Amino acid sequence: FVFARLACLTRSHGPQLRQVEEAWKRLSHIEREALADLMLADGVAQQNLILKFLPAFFAGAVNNPHVGLHSSLVVLVDVLERLMASAFARTRSQKSLVVNVQSLAVFAEKARCASVFLAVPSYISFHEKTSEVAVVVATAHAQRASQRTWADQSAQEVALMVRRLR
């Protein structure tokens, strides 16, 4: 069921199904389990997430040579884990939560560096709107989308500390 849903969400058919299969196989067991939990949740026994703009997120990632489907799945799992750990998911009595990932979809389309894209979960916040929670990419990180190379600031700080120790 999960593979079929991924194929539908990525609008894959024919030879493109091979890309979906390869991306799925490259995921860790934990990542596959997290995606299966998301896609098989029924909204009755377990909380269901309705991800607005998810097909656009996948389309932007698949059509971007710097991102790809596998990276988009890894980022999606990380974002969803952060969401489920947040107060938005824990304090809801409803069994369905609408999550707007339009900001991520735009970022997946524009990212010009794989490391910038893969770091995006560390630079998101969740904003509650009337009937949904929006995943918002921090402005400073959104501006990094056009960079072709990038070193995470924490990596730069470690390098600085190592230089100081010499």
Side-chain angles (χ1 to χ4, degrees):
F1 290 122
V2 176
F3 184 80
R5 288 188 183 194
L6 270 178
C8 291
L9 287 167
T10 58
R11 300 178 177 133
S12 299
H13 60 284
Q16 297 166 331
L17 290 174
R18 185 88 173 139
Q19 291 176 323
V20 176
E21 182 181 14
E22 288 172 8
W24 179 258
K25 286 181 179 178
R26 288 179 57 200
L27 294 173
S28 71
H29 174 73
I30 293 170
E31 291 166 332
R32 284 191 297 250
E33 194 172 283
L35 284 172
D37 289 346
L38 165 73
M39 294 191 184
L40 299 177
D42 60 9
V44 176
Q46 29 333 56
Q47 187 176 42
N48 180 33
L49 297 178
I50 301 165
L51 301 174
K52 288 174 62 175
F53 298 100
L54 187 59
F57 171 70
F58 285 137
V62 168
N63 293 323
N64 184 338
H66 308 285
V67 176
L69 181 58
H70 176 260
S71 293
S72 69
L73 293 171
V74 170
V75 164
L76 180 63
V77 168
D78 197 355
V79 168
L80 295 178
E81 285 175 351
R82 291 169 189 265
L83 175 65
M84 296 311 289
S86 75
F88 290 111
R90 286 193 321 264
T91 60
R92 296 250 181 210
S93 59
Q94 302 101 333
K95 285 294 188 171
S96 291
L97 176 62
V98 178
V99 181
N100 184 325
V101 296
Q102 185 175 21
S103 178
L104 283 177
V106 170
F107 193 80
E109 183 180 345
K110 292 183 177 184
R112 295 295 166 246
C113 175
S115 60
V116 170
F117 180 74
L118 289 170
V120 75
S122 297
Y123 296 93
I124 60 167
S125 58
F126 303 108
H127 298 267
E128 190 165 15
K129 296 187 178 182
T130 309
S131 60
E132 66 185 30
V133 173
V135 178
V136 178
V137 177
T139 303
H141 198 67
Q143 292 172 347
R144 293 182 188 118
S146 62
Q147 294 178 335
R148 297 205 179 273
T149 60
W150 180 69
D152 190 359
Q153 290 175 331
S154 60
Q156 292 171 342
E157 290 171 8
V158 169
L160 179 62
M161 287 178 13
V162 169
R163 281 190 295 244
R164 286 182 180 168
L165 291 174
R166 291 184 189 170

